[in-house]
Amino acid sequence: MQSDYTETQITFHYENGSEESFSVPLTAQQVYQQLQLATESPLLTFHLYDRSVTIRFDRILKVEIFPAFPEVQGDGVFAEAQVVTAMRRATRR
């Protein structure tokens, strides 16, 4: 029997070059929906067991969500994309 517990990891990449990851008890699609709502607010807040962390959304350059959630489709979504590394780029030359 499959567990109802789902955990998603979110990694924020900031404009100063640092990054920070959080694990939340939501599906990746739920996280994506929350992030869409967060674009209307200047702050994201994560309540941890010992503190709360607030992040300014306008200081984030990139957000990575694991696991993937291919259910999201439509404008601005690129299906079956692949990261091109330096080694992979060299093999195409």
Side-chain angles (χ1 to χ4, degrees):
M1 185 169 141
Q2 190 174 7
S3 171
D4 290 337
Y5 180 76
T6 302
E7 189 172 283
T8 300
Q9 181 178 319
I10 312 165
T11 302
F12 297 101
H13 298 267
Y14 302 102
E15 59 187 20
N16 68 0
S18 66
E19 62 182 53
E20 189 169 31
S21 295
F22 297 91
S23 179
V24 294
L26 299 170
T27 65
Q29 191 166 7
Q30 290 170 321
V31 168
Y32 180 76
Q33 290 167 343
Q34 287 292 333
L35 290 174
Q36 283 183 313
L37 294 173
T39 60
E40 299 170 8
S41 172
L43 300 173
L44 294 173
T45 301
F46 291 86
H47 295 297
L48 309 175
Y49 73 94
D50 61 342
R51 67 189 186 279
S52 293
V53 177
T54 302
I55 298 170
R56 285 187 52 182
F57 204 74
D58 64 345
R59 300 286 190 222
I60 299 170
L61 293 179
K62 179 172 81 169
V63 178
E64 291 183 74
I65 301 171
F66 180 81
F69 49 101
E71 307 84 19
V72 174
Q73 299 176 3
D75 293 341
V77 177
F78 296 88
E80 300 180 34
Q82 296 180 11
V83 173
V84 179
T85 62
M87 182 167 302
R88 189 173 195 172
R89 194 176 299 123
T91 63
R92 291 193 173 201
R93 292 184 182 168

